[in-house]
Amino acid sequence: MEAISEVFQQMMKENPRLEQRMKDVQNSLGSRGIECATTPSDACPNKKCDGSGFLWFIDYYKKMHPDKVANDIRKHRELYAVAHEANNQQEMDRINSILVDLKKESEWWVKCDCHEQKQNELDIAKKLDLSGIPDIFKGAKLNDFRTEIYQKEEDRTAAKLARKSAANYVANYEQMKAAGKGLYFYSEVKGSGKTRIASSIANALINMYNVNVVFIKAADISLQVRKTFKKNTETSEEEVLRIFKEVDVLIIDDFAVENNTDFMEELLTKILDYRMESKNITLITSNITQNDINNLYKDGRVKSRVKKMCYEVIMPEESIRDEEAKRENESLERILFG
């Protein structure tokens, strides 16, 4: 059986138009220079790579004209020899730089700007058994935060104000970061949208400012630390606390729902103390007001730090989970029985 390349060569000899068409394609590609062949994706915070953390480049001139490149290399080697004979170091360095570039592969990978962030996220994941932002909210956007779904007028108003404050917070993040100010979303009712809006802010900050985020339920903080007490664990208490202290943005969900213990209070104080002094951003969701924190943590240290670090935003006192479930079920009924 003849090699495919030989068959193809024979076809072009027998069909001059095909041969010319192939040459045109080759010349066209060869004239394109260096291009990035990676398709940008929303998975990349900077929308540069496909989410892998790498960019794939192709030098079409090298790829389509290997013989010309080989000839260029030979010519520059000869020029280098002449410069060497003349002891012209400056010219030798210039030619050597060109040779280094000519010898590079026609295709190569480089790290995207998001690579370091993704590596940091992997390092965090290795040290902490965190679920991160809930899957249902990983793509949540502030523009998609629906206020009309709330039934009461006062709740719709509260939702609009919360969304506006969140959007303005993201738009002015650099100023908020300089001041070390986060947000504290409060509503007594579960399912009122607190976690959704906090997740939406986190998604926006990741996309716009390339920050690292740790999302954790308040009750899981002590759980993560206690795991380090086990024998043969590879992660120390200090390492876990350092992540909570130093991460760009820490989201503490369901704050003050956890059972209070002296151990938990001490952990929170250590974490919040460090973040307050370092002006690291903390977002909190809770079903109690900031003023009521002392009802859970008596000595006042946790409350004073939260009030210093986070501006309180009142959320609707209405669960949208029930309304969303109702609408989803109505749609399902139309499919099943319509």
Side-chain angles (χ1 to χ4, degrees), residues 50-303:
D50 55 5
S52 65
F54 292 90
L55 296 166
W56 176 30
F57 284 90
I58 299 176
D59 186 330
Y60 282 99
Y61 177 81
K62 288 183 179 179
K63 190 174 182 66
M64 305 310 297
H65 305 295
D67 293 341
K68 291 182 179 180
V69 173
N71 191 45
D72 287 342
I73 291 174
R74 283 194 294 272
K75 285 182 178 179
H76 280 85
R77 280 175 174 167
E78 292 171 0
L79 291 172
Y80 184 88
V82 172
H84 183 270
E85 184 70 24
N87 199 27
N88 188 338
Q89 187 62 48
Q90 184 176 354
E91 183 66 4
M92 289 166 61
D93 291 342
R94 186 187 70 81
I95 296 171
N96 187 61
S97 177
I98 296 173
L99 280 168
V100 169
D101 184 63
L102 286 170
K103 291 176 182 178
K104 288 180 181 177
E105 297 292 333
S106 60
E107 299 182 35
W108 67 95
W109 296 90
V110 298
K111 292 178 180 178
C112 179
D113 293 340
C114 74
H115 181 270
E116 184 176 352
Q117 178 190 353
K118 289 185 175 294
Q119 189 59 51
N120 287 338
E121 290 173 351
L122 287 174
D123 291 342
I124 289 172
K126 288 178 182 178
K127 294 181 183 297
L128 293 178
D129 181 20
L130 297 177
S131 60
I133 296 173
D135 289 341
I136 193 173
F137 298 138
K138 281 185 177 176
K141 299 179 181 178
L142 288 170
N143 288 340
D144 296 333
F145 185 76
R146 298 164 59 193
T147 59
E148 75 281 359
I149 198 170
Y150 296 93
Q151 300 299 299
K152 299 177 183 178
E153 181 61 33
E154 60 266 30
D155 288 329
R156 287 195 292 272
T157 300
K160 289 176 183 177
L161 289 174
R163 183 176 65 182
K164 183 176 182 179
S165 66
N168 286 335
Y169 183 88
V170 171
N172 296 281
Y173 173 71
E174 297 292 357
Q175 186 177 345
M176 298 296 107
K177 171 63 179 172
K181 296 295 183 181
L183 297 174
Y184 183 101
F185 294 101
Y186 155 73
S187 171
E188 289 186 10
V189 176
K190 293 182 178 180
S192 62
K194 299 186 290 290
T195 303
R196 179 193 294 269
I197 202 166
S199 298
S200 298
I201 292 174
N203 291 332
L205 293 179
I206 290 170
N207 289 328
M208 293 176 63
Y209 302 99
N210 202 30
V211 301
N212 289 305
V213 175
V214 164
F215 181 106
I216 188 166
K217 295 286 185 182
D220 289 340
I221 292 177
S222 63
L223 176 64
Q224 294 296 330
V225 173
R226 289 182 188 279
K227 284 183 179 180
T228 67
F229 300 162
K230 296 179 180 179
K231 292 182 179 180
N232 302 321
T233 182
E234 296 181 0
T235 307
S236 68
E237 175 184 354
E238 182 181 347
E239 286 179 303
V240 171
L241 284 177
R242 184 164 61 246
I243 291 171
F244 290 138
K245 290 176 178 178
E246 297 180 1
V247 69
D248 298 330
V249 178
L250 175 65
I251 301 178
I252 304 177
D253 194 37
D254 285 341
F255 177 80
V257 173
E258 71 279 2
N259 293 324
N260 176 35
T261 62
D262 291 340
F263 179 67
M264 181 63 180
E265 188 164 358
E266 191 63 32
L267 287 179
L268 281 173
T269 301
K270 287 180 180 178
I271 293 168
L272 295 177
D273 247 350
Y274 185 96
R275 298 189 68 78
M276 181 177 67
E277 292 172 4
S278 304
K279 294 186 176 180
N280 292 335
I281 297 300
T282 306
L283 304 176
I284 297 174
T285 74
S286 181
N287 64 354
I288 67 171
T289 66
Q290 290 182 345
N291 286 331
D292 288 335
I293 292 175
N294 277 353
N295 294 336
L296 186 65
Y297 299 108
K298 306 293 185 182
D299 69 3
R301 293 181 299 167
V302 174
K303 173 188 172 182

Side-chain angles (χ1 to χ4, degrees), residues 24-33 60-61 64-65:
D24 291 342
V25 170
Q26 187 177 32
N27 290 332
S28 175
L29 288 173
S31 65
R32 286 165 61 177
Y60 282 99
Y61 177 81
M64 305 310 297
H65 305 295

Side-chain angles (χ1 to χ4, degrees), residues 304-319:
S304 64
R305 284 153 181 75
V306 169
K307 293 197 76 168
K308 171 69 174 174
M309 298 167 64
C310 301
Y311 179 81
E312 190 171 55
V313 178
I314 306 300
M315 292 292 290
E317 292 295 346
E318 181 182 333
S319 174

